[in-house]
Amino acid sequence: MRACRAVGARTVAVHSEADAFGAHVADADEAVLIGPAPSRESYLDGGKILAAARHSDADAIHPGYGFLSENWRFAEACADAGLTFIGPPAEAIRRMGDKSEARRLMAAAGVPVLPGSPEPVVDVAEAASLAERVGFPVLLKATAGGGGIGMAKVAEPAQLAAAFAAVQRRAEAAFGNGAVYVERYLAEPRHIEVQVFGDARGAMVHLHERECSIQRRHQKLVEESPAPGLDPAIKTRLTAAAVKGAAAIGYANAGTLEFLLDATGAFYFLEMNTRLQVEHPVTEEVTGLDLVVAQLRVAAGETLAWTQEAILQRGAAIECRVYAEDPAKNFLPSPGTISRLELPAGEGIRVESGVVEGSTVTVHYDPLMLKLVTRGASRAEAIARMSDALDRCVIQGVKTTIPFLRRVLAHADYRRGQVHTQMVEQGVFNA
Ligand code: MV4
């Protein structure tokens, strides 16, 4: 909504019955009710969104982060209805949505991938022979999965058959596609991703990297840019690989290539997110660029206004995600009405909130309430500002992840930039 105001575009919010008083509705020039609270009958119903666009005479649809943002059929339906989908071409979404095909396309473009199967495997016997070749432990992954859905680690040959059947069955149930591929399993890797941006004329740039290792069960908690302690030579190879991979598939608009980095400094492509991501503000803070304004411009057919040399990564930025969850109860969702809300403000602090005092967090949607983003001339300054910002938040009526985030920011390993993807599950930050 802010980006639209910046370019002089009027905005229409779509909302469910649960969100009539939502922050995005208050922010928009106009609002259209699209259905009841369950997202299947509202935000995930492409027909309802398209009908709302027709009703309000909209020119374009921004799909946001979740829901239909990576649904190639929806992107195609927008185009068929004469609406601009503010995102990549439907074909790029489709190809990257197949995780095995994404791996193959990136490998063909010269982007490093983990040893594994070039195609989905047809049966347990083929999975077993591939696993022997790449070496145990291996990870079995659903090609229609992604984001951690439909994976199983296999430590030894005896476990393979059962794991293969389980991943296949779960993938078939969740996605209607039981195809499975094999990859060597990397223990305790870092998760580093590269923001890329392309236009319809074939220009492609990167906006540096984000470190996203502090997560729990594939739900990110803390993200930052730059990735602390990343060797400059590795960083240069990483960003070059991301640009090469995105260009090779004819990508346009905002996208992110996810990589795993091991302790030796080797990195491997994991998957590509064909949308703007929740954590994009840290990239905006270190580059000084507005990614959503750029999305609008590129979607409208403008060429990219940025040259690679002019995209600088200055200082450091951190994002903490505040969820309505109780970290003392294994991050149990904590729905309810926010009876009191006081949020920090000031130099180097940016708050991106979807809630106000009186808002209700329902069980129907993701419990992310707001993001705190701080920047500083150095990582230490960004951390100091974040610790202070967390201390100044007052949220009553629901439990939040703030006490946990405080412990992460205070932890010696985090402060040294010594992070990996398994830390939260290992209990490193437990009180
Ligand atoms: C892996 C892996 C280790 N080895 N693949 C998790 C989400 C999906 N994007 C892929 N994921 C992983 N794939 C191999 N071959 C470890 C993970 C993983 C992970 C990756 C990124 C961020 C957090 C993670 C947490 C657990 C596992």
Side-chain angles (χ1 to χ4, degrees):
M1 305 296 178
R2 285 202 306 267
C4 285
R5 280 196 289 277
V7 302
R10 287 176 49 79
T11 57
V12 183
V14 294
H15 68 91
S16 72
E17 285 168 2
D19 281 342
F21 301 100
H24 75 293
V25 172
D27 230 15
D29 295 316
E30 212 180 302
V32 180
L33 174 66
I34 54 166
S39 41
R40 289 255 152 247
E41 299 167 60
S42 49
Y43 300 111
L44 282 172
D45 184 338
K48 296 254 183 80
I49 312 276
L50 292 173
R54 271 193 299 277
H55 172 80
S56 56
D57 196 27
D59 300 312
I61 296 181
H62 194 298
Y65 312 121
F67 297 127
L68 298 169
S69 61
E70 296 194 274
N71 184 314
W72 67 268
R73 288 174 216 277
F74 178 69
E76 197 169 74
C78 287
D80 291 346
L83 289 153
T84 300
F85 177 82
I86 303 168
E91 183 64 6
I93 301 177
R94 192 181 63 73
R95 293 167 91 191
M96 293 299 102
D98 181 317
K99 304 306 167 187
S100 177
E101 183 177 359
R103 210 181 106 82
R104 190 164 58 249
L105 288 168
M106 290 301 152
V111 179
V113 298
L114 282 154
S117 50
E119 302 270 343
V121 292
V122 298
D123 54 23
V124 181
E126 191 189 354
S129 86
L130 262 160
E132 291 296 347
R133 186 131 47 88
V134 306
F136 286 90
V138 297
L139 209 54
L140 301 180
K141 296 184 172 184
T143 187
I149 310 167
M151 305 194 317
K153 179 185 166 186
V154 183
E156 47 178 286
Q159 303 170 348
L160 195 90
F164 183 85
V167 173
Q168 196 172 46
R169 178 174 43 76
R170 283 200 294 264
E172 185 63 55
F175 316 112
N177 174 1
V180 173
Y181 65 105
V182 179
E183 250 178 26
R184 184 204 289 154
Y185 175 79
L186 213 54
E188 302 188 357
R190 285 175 77 174
H191 173 170
I192 297 180
E193 57 189 31
V194 178
Q195 177 72 56
V196 295
F197 218 109
D199 67 24
R201 297 263 290 275
M204 183 63 62
V205 296
H206 72 81
L207 287 84
H208 305 276
E209 82 288 3
R210 293 184 289 259
E211 158 62 57
C212 303
S213 296
I214 306 293
Q215 55 80 46
R216 180 186 170 275
R217 301 200 183 165
H218 310 296
Q219 180 171 277
K220 291 170 183 165
L221 291 164
V222 181
E223 304 101 338
E224 60 186 284
S225 186
L230 182 62
D231 180 302
I234 295 170
K235 185 217 154 107
T236 300
R237 287 195 284 113
L238 182 72
T239 52
V243 168
K244 193 166 58 167
I249 60 162
Y251 197 79
N253 217 294
T256 297
L257 288 93
E258 297 186 356
F259 295 90
L260 293 183
L261 183 78
D262 72 16
T264 74
F267 61 83
Y268 306 95
F269 169 80
L270 211 50
E271 48 194 72
M272 181 169 187
N273 298 315
T274 55
R275 61 169 195 282
L276 188 75
Q277 289 188 267
V278 171
E279 60 269 32
H280 78 276
V282 298
T283 298
E284 293 186 328
E285 292 302 316
V286 294
T287 61
L289 301 172
D290 188 318
L291 290 188
V292 185
V293 167
Q295 285 197 292
L296 299 177
R297 293 195 190 287
V298 163
E302 289 184 31
T303 55
L304 208 54
W306 305 327
T307 58
Q308 188 66 70
E309 310 72 57
I311 304 173
L312 304 177
Q313 191 180 34
R314 284 193 54 198
I318 303 172
E319 172 177 279
C320 280
R321 295 194 189 188
V322 179
Y323 293 93
E325 292 178 345
D326 187 354
K329 291 186 179 153
N330 199 26
F331 293 81
L332 187 72
S334 176
T337 296
I338 300 168
S339 53
R340 185 153 170 245
L341 183 67
E342 277 178 45
L343 297 173
E347 176 71 15
I349 299 177
R350 168 175 169 184
V351 178
E352 295 290 346
S353 178
V355 296
V356 294
E357 207 165 84
S359 289
T360 298
V361 180
T362 79
V363 295
H364 296 287
Y365 314 121
D366 186 283
L368 181 63
M369 293 185 289
L370 60 96
K371 308 178 287 193
L372 291 176
V373 184
T374 62
R375 71 176 151 70
S378 64
R379 182 171 187 262
E381 187 174 37
I383 290 176
R385 282 183 174 151
M386 183 61 79
S387 303
D388 180 48
L390 288 166
D391 286 345
R392 281 153 57 198
C393 281
V394 180
I395 306 179
Q396 288 172 5
V398 297
K399 298 285 189 200
T400 82
T401 46
I402 288 174
F404 188 84
L405 292 165
R406 278 206 186 94
R407 291 203 300 275
V408 173
L409 271 280
H411 198 280
D413 289 350
Y414 178 77
R415 290 196 167 232
R416 281 200 303 264
Q418 302 267 314
V419 293
H420 64 75
T421 55
Q422 309 305 306
M423 291 174 94
V424 178
E425 278 96 342
Q426 287 173 0
V428 169
F429 305 112
N430 291 354

